[in-house]
Amino acid sequence: MAVADFLITLVTFIAIYSLFGIGLNLKFGFTGLIDFGHVAYFMVGAYVTVVLTLPADAPTYGGIGGFDLPGLFAALGPLGSLFGWVLGVLGGMIAAALVSLAVGVPTLRLREDYLAITALGIATILNTVVKDEDWLFNGPYGISGVHKPLVDVFPISLGSFTVNMAVFGLLSVAIFGYVAYWLVNRFRDAGRTGRILMVASVGLVSVWYFVMPVVDGGGTVELTKNVLWLFDPTAGPNGGLDYDRFVLLLSLGFLAGGYHWVERTINSPYGRVLRAIREDEDVPQALGKETFQYKMQALMFGSALAGAAGALWAVNIGFVSPDQFASTITFFAFTAVIIGGTANNKGVILGTAVFWAIRNGTRFIDVPSQYSIQLAAARLILIGVILMVILYYRPEGLLGEQDYDIDLPTSLRGGSDDV
Amino acid sequence: MVDAGLLDATVQGLITGSIIAGGALGLSLIYNIAEVPNFAHGDMITIGAYLALVFNNPGEIPFLPAFGSAPLVAAAVVGVVLAGVLGATYELTIFRKFRKRDADIITMVIVSLGLALVLRNVVLFLVGSKNIRYQSASVSNTNFDFLVTGGGMTVTTTQRQAGEVVTTGQWGYPWWLLVGGLLVAAAVGYGVYRAYRREEGFDTVYLVPPKILGFTVAAATVIGLGAFVQLAPQGTDPIVATRIGLSIKHLTIIGVVLAAMFVLNVALKTTKLGRAMRATADNMDLAEVRGVDADRVQLLVWVIASMLAALAGVLTGWFATNLTPNMGFTLLLPIFAAVILGGISSPYGAVAGAMIIGVSMDVSVYLLPSHFATYRVAVAFLILIAVLMVKPEGLWGDV
């Protein structure tokens, strides 16, 4: 597998799990709710979206629905069916928010540690329900043949091979250029250790990505593939932008939307109340805020984002089954949030990237196949150790809590809650 | 042929409850005294089970030579002791450091989650994911058929020996004995309760609370009378009949857990360290002011809790007949439910909570259609949530 293909899979993963993590960050980082059942909303979002977009007579599916929203709007062309899918995603997000409403009413009044445990329990129960009730969502067999939006349109070809290569190649190079520009800016702002770390990590990654394929004997073909990563020469007669790359762009788009939405929320006066609840619930209560409603809304909002991530996950994998939504996914998201920086949305993306790079990047280590269990276990041991080490030496995470737009009374510029 | 009924489901529930109680005892100690909602407890149970496996059945572990097999009891003892050493390691290398930094309860939850991840995957790394059994003598079930007839009650015991169902005993109790026995038991229980109860005072500490003691003595009287006064069968034409399946294994599990609870209770109430532990649970700063070495107490808590977890692990592995790296984590939710239900402050509360959870799990599986059998844990949780909605501090809570 080409390195570029691996990277596309990895970044798609990171984008989806970052969206999931941002939802968790809103609950855990900004409002202080330890929702150990976050994965349940991921599951609800994925299943509801899939069922809403599944054709009515899907083979090997015996659950409720097959509501075929994209088919309903198919007369309007590909954009119509895309609209149907977006409606499905909205349905999934609303369903996730409603489920979290039902969960939140009894549990949000509990002590924080009891909340963690009951949320974990409810997520496990919901997973069991989906797994055991065949009539609901096809039970343990899962749903295959997930509707993939616009799949018929791809690969997009703009004309001849050269045109495709030039356009998509230029786009790819432009994106690399932007990343380089961003990195240089970061480098200027960073302190001494930050600079050393950046040089080391960027250097290693570039050697791995740009130099290794040449040295390995893949020659210029591999190198071209890596540099012009948006362009897939094997897709269609003239090459072009294939579907995997589209899913990557779609996920990044959703991530950008979710990020923006959460940023706007937490930088508003509303978000300030959420942060006040995290610090000390009695204070906003004394100021006349109905904290229970705020907590409930944060829970529903975060769950809706998890639901959107679930919809993307279903498109990316093309198959959903209850086993994909074990509680470990929640714990991974917590780890990612804590590594990157609790209450920091950029940190969530960084943490998720670090987490999944460790988890999936280690597949390049060659081990005999009978030791694959050992490799998987060793990865998770490493992640557990990193989690504890970060919590001890840098409890605020790699990036620390983010700055907010709203001035605090004591400072002239935007400040952190830590002041 | 007599069918197993509600009574059998209850007895099975008590056995399930005992296994949960084994874990709940240790978890309630950690929760209450160390103030860590320990999500690693399930995996500490797994570790304990595998530590005993190392001595009981080393041939199953890939990197170990088959150096012979110790009897399960000896292996369990060594495993439990080693688990205690591990417990000290967790406290010294992880939790003490976080406590020195005044980590809040959320941080502790997540630290214990990280530890859980490490422990489970260490087992997976070393042993792999295959199912393994302990080497132990197989134990056959004895079925007790209780037939209520016109003349009283007849008990028939049957056992499966070499594929054949063999009747191993038959006896009965006439009505006068049944009624009289129950009355005697109630009287003895109440008498003990009255004799043992003292004036409630500021410093009254019972080794065993009088109500529990009275109830236990009454139950023991019933069982004792039933075992020793066995009269002629009272006919075999039942009005109501039910069957209970029991084996030495089940009785051992219940006995070991009750013994562990009792020993822990005695240690907490009579020894100096136990008193120090209770004082620390109540208020760590005040205890330190009075000269309690909090670090030593916390160390002890982790050692004892790890040993109890290992004990629960061995019992689980023996009861379920196989060990998997996930065995502890699947027990974690019922254990947490039991601890919270019982209120996190006393070993009796934890065991009572565990019994409620265990019985309700098995009885609901019996009462509901067979399709719902996979919802055992869900039932435990629904009970927990229902109780928390009414009493947010748990049934015997302290908050």
Side-chain angles (χ1 to χ4, degrees):
Chain A
M1 190 171 66
V3 177
D5 289 330
F6 165 72
L7 209 64
I8 282 163
T9 324
L10 181 65
V11 176
T12 314
F13 249 73
I14 291 174
I16 294 172
Y17 278 113
S18 294
L19 185 60
F20 182 64
I22 282 179
L24 181 67
N25 199 25
L26 184 75
K27 300 176 183 178
F28 167 65
F30 294 113
T31 322
L33 309 170
I34 325 178
D35 189 353
F36 273 1
H38 195 52
V39 73
Y41 313 116
F42 193 51
M43 180 179 76
V44 170
Y47 265 99
V48 170
T49 310
V50 166
V51 168
L52 284 180
T53 53
L54 199 68
D57 52 351
T60 73
Y61 178 67
I64 51 171
F67 293 101
D68 199 16
L69 285 182
L72 218 56
F73 298 94
L76 301 173
L79 283 182
S81 69
L82 179 67
F83 176 67
W85 180 76
V86 170
L87 276 188
V89 176
L90 274 180
M93 290 171 74
I94 292 170
L98 288 180
V99 170
S100 76
L101 175 71
V103 172
V105 168
T107 57
L108 275 186
R109 294 176 200 280
L110 301 176
R111 263 170 54 170
E112 51 195 2
D113 44 339
Y114 289 7
L115 167 67
I117 293 154
T118 42
L120 177 61
I122 290 172
T124 314
I125 292 173
L126 286 178
N127 194 277
T128 319
V129 170
V130 172
K131 195 188 269 174
D132 287 347
E133 303 298 329
D134 290 359
W135 56 267
L136 187 65
F137 292 135
N138 219 21
Y141 316 108
I143 309 177
S144 51
V146 170
H147 173 80
K148 296 186 160 198
L150 297 182
V151 74
D152 303 331
V153 182
F154 286 91
I156 285 182
S157 172
L158 301 172
S160 72
F161 189 87
T162 333
V163 174
N164 276 331
M165 188 164 169
V167 171
F168 291 120
L170 272 180
L171 265 176
S172 320
V173 175
I175 292 175
F176 273 128
Y178 180 75
V179 171
Y181 169 76
W182 183 80
L183 280 175
V184 167
N185 272 342
R186 293 275 102 181
F187 184 75
R188 276 198 199 133
D189 301 340
R192 190 153 170 276
T193 42
R195 286 186 177 193
I196 293 170
L197 271 179
M198 275 180 73
V199 167
S201 52
V202 172
L204 273 178
V205 170
S206 342
V207 166
W208 171 70
Y209 195 74
F210 295 114
V211 182
M212 280 301 278
V214 184
V215 180
D216 254 8
T220 45
V221 179
E222 284 282 302
L223 185 63
T224 326
K225 262 190 179 173
N226 283 359
V227 175
L228 310 181
W229 54 276
L230 268 178
F231 174 68
D232 185 1
T234 54
N238 290 328
L241 185 73
D242 74 346
Y243 195 67
D244 287 344
R245 285 155 175 83
F246 169 70
V247 173
L248 168 67
L249 297 179
L250 186 71
S251 309
L252 285 176
F254 265 80
L255 173 61
Y259 177 86
H260 181 70
W261 195 12
V262 173
E263 278 290 308
R264 287 299 298 255
T265 308
I266 53 142
N267 276 316
S268 67
Y270 178 86
R272 199 164 34 182
V273 178
L274 293 186
R275 285 184 272 139
I277 290 173
R278 176 194 62 191
E279 296 298 326
D280 186 349
E281 198 178 334
D282 293 340
V283 176
Q285 224 159 22
L287 293 172
K289 306 287 182 194
E290 288 283 353
T291 51
F292 183 76
Q293 286 180 13
Y294 280 86
K295 287 190 330 193
M296 184 60 86
Q297 285 156 5
L299 190 74
M300 291 172 72
F301 185 8
S303 305
L305 290 177
L312 289 170
W313 163 270
V315 170
N316 186 31
I317 302 291
F319 170 72
V320 283
S321 78
D323 296 336
Q324 297 166 343
F325 305 103
S327 3
T328 35
I329 302 289
T330 312
F331 301 149
F332 291 166
F334 263 96
T335 311
V337 168
I338 289 165
I339 289 178
T342 312
N344 187 328
N345 287 327
K346 289 199 186 80
V348 173
I349 298 172
L350 176 70
T352 313
V354 169
F355 183 93
W356 288 102
I358 291 175
R359 197 153 145 63
N360 287 5
T362 41
R363 76 168 55 166
F364 286 101
I365 301 171
D366 276 328
V367 290
S369 60
Q370 74 262 32
Y371 292 119
S372 60
I373 293 182
Q374 269 73 14
L375 180 64
R379 262 181 221 149
L380 290 175
I381 293 174
L382 179 65
I383 285 166
V385 170
I386 289 178
L387 179 64
M388 286 189 280
V389 166
I390 291 240
L391 271 176
Y392 186 67
Y393 290 103
R394 213 177 150 78
E396 73 276 19
L398 290 178
L399 296 187
E401 182 165 1
Q402 70 183 76
D403 293 339
Y404 302 103
D405 294 346
I406 304 168
D407 291 351
L408 290 176
T410 48
S411 73
L412 294 172
R413 287 173 296 116
S416 160
D417 280 353
D418 293 336
V419 228
Chain B
M1 180 68 196
V2 182
D3 285 328
L6 190 61
L7 202 59
D8 183 60
T10 313
V11 171
Q12 295 302 320
L14 288 177
I15 296 157
T16 313
S18 300
I19 286 177
I20 296 173
L25 278 174
L27 183 63
S28 78
L29 272 186
I30 295 182
Y31 209 150
N32 190 23
I33 304 177
E35 291 185 1
V36 177
N38 185 18
F39 277 80
H41 208 77
D43 299 289
M44 282 158 64
I45 288 175
T46 314
I47 290 271
Y50 277 87
L51 279 176
L53 183 80
V54 169
F55 299 96
N56 179 253
N57 199 356
E60 292 283 354
I61 300 178
F63 65 96
L64 281 181
F67 54 73
S69 158
L72 185 58
V73 178
V77 170
V78 181
V80 165
V81 171
L82 285 180
V85 175
L86 277 182
T89 318
Y90 308 145
E91 155 72 5
L92 292 176
T93 56
I94 303 170
F95 291 98
R96 172 166 298 175
K97 295 190 167 175
F98 279 97
R99 202 172 53 248
K100 295 289 176 217
R101 291 214 163 173
D102 287 328
D104 56 2
I105 200 163
I106 303 187
T107 313
M108 287 300 199
V109 167
I110 292 164
V111 170
S112 69
L113 207 59
L115 179 64
L117 207 58
V118 171
L119 290 184
R120 194 178 331 152
N121 286 290
V122 164
V123 171
L124 206 57
F125 187 87
L126 295 178
V127 189
S129 58
K130 62 177 175 175
N131 287 0
I132 307 178
R133 295 161 153 269
Y134 285 129
Q135 279 184 3
S136 62
S138 69
V139 186
S140 60
N141 262 20
T142 305
N143 290 319
F144 291 81
D145 294 346
F146 293 90
L147 304 128
V148 178
T149 60
M153 187 160 73
T154 301
V155 182
T156 313
T157 57
T158 52
Q159 212 170 20
R160 192 173 284 277
Q161 289 171 352
E164 292 292 311
V165 177
V166 183
T167 305
T168 49
Q170 194 173 41
W171 67 90
Y173 312 105
W175 280 120
W176 61 266
L177 181 61
L178 284 176
V179 176
L182 284 178
L183 284 178
V184 167
V188 170
Y190 187 68
V192 167
Y193 166 70
R194 282 303 291 270
Y196 188 64
R197 196 182 54 168
R198 275 167 290 159
E199 189 89 18
E200 275 299 329
F202 171 60
D203 54 351
T204 318
V205 175
Y206 292 108
L207 186 59
V208 183
K211 278 182 189 160
I212 295 179
L213 187 70
F215 186 77
T216 314
V217 169
T221 315
V222 169
I223 292 171
L225 277 177
F228 289 108
V229 189
Q230 298 181 345
L231 303 181
Q234 300 294 320
T236 51
D237 191 21
I239 305 166
V240 186
T242 189
R243 158 176 286 187
I244 295 178
L246 269 183
S247 70
I248 295 294
K249 198 189 227 181
H250 300 154
L251 296 178
T252 313
I253 289 172
I254 296 183
V256 166
V257 170
L258 288 182
M261 174 186 77
F262 185 69
V263 169
L264 180 65
N265 179 53
V266 169
L268 279 176
K269 287 185 176 161
T270 58
T271 65
K272 200 174 170 214
L273 261 173
R275 220 171 294 142
M277 279 162 79
R278 288 191 296 135
T280 315
D282 215 35
N283 188 325
M284 195 162 120
D285 294 333
L286 280 186
E288 277 191 305
V289 167
R290 290 287 289 164
V292 170
D293 184 351
D295 279 347
R296 199 161 145 222
V297 166
Q298 304 279 13
L299 184 64
L300 198 67
V301 164
W302 278 96
V303 170
I304 294 175
S306 300
M307 290 169 76
L308 286 169
L311 186 68
V314 175
L315 293 180
T316 315
W318 188 44
F319 178 66
T321 67
N322 59 38
L323 288 87
T324 62
N326 259 334
M327 59 189 276
F329 190 70
T330 47
L331 265 180
L332 184 68
L333 281 178
I335 288 176
F336 258 115
V339 169
I340 297 176
L341 195 65
I344 55 180
S345 57
S346 87
Y348 285 121
V351 170
M355 292 301 175
I356 293 174
I357 295 285
V359 169
S360 54
M361 275 161 71
D362 281 344
V363 167
S364 67
V365 167
Y366 167 75
L367 291 178
L368 295 170
S370 61
H371 170 72
F372 288 95
T374 44
Y375 291 116
R376 291 176 78 212
V377 179
V379 169
F381 245 81
L382 288 181
I383 292 172
L384 174 66
I385 292 168
V387 168
L388 283 181
M389 282 176 76
V390 184
K391 288 192 69 166
E393 69 280 4
L395 283 181
W396 291 272
D398 63 337
V399 177

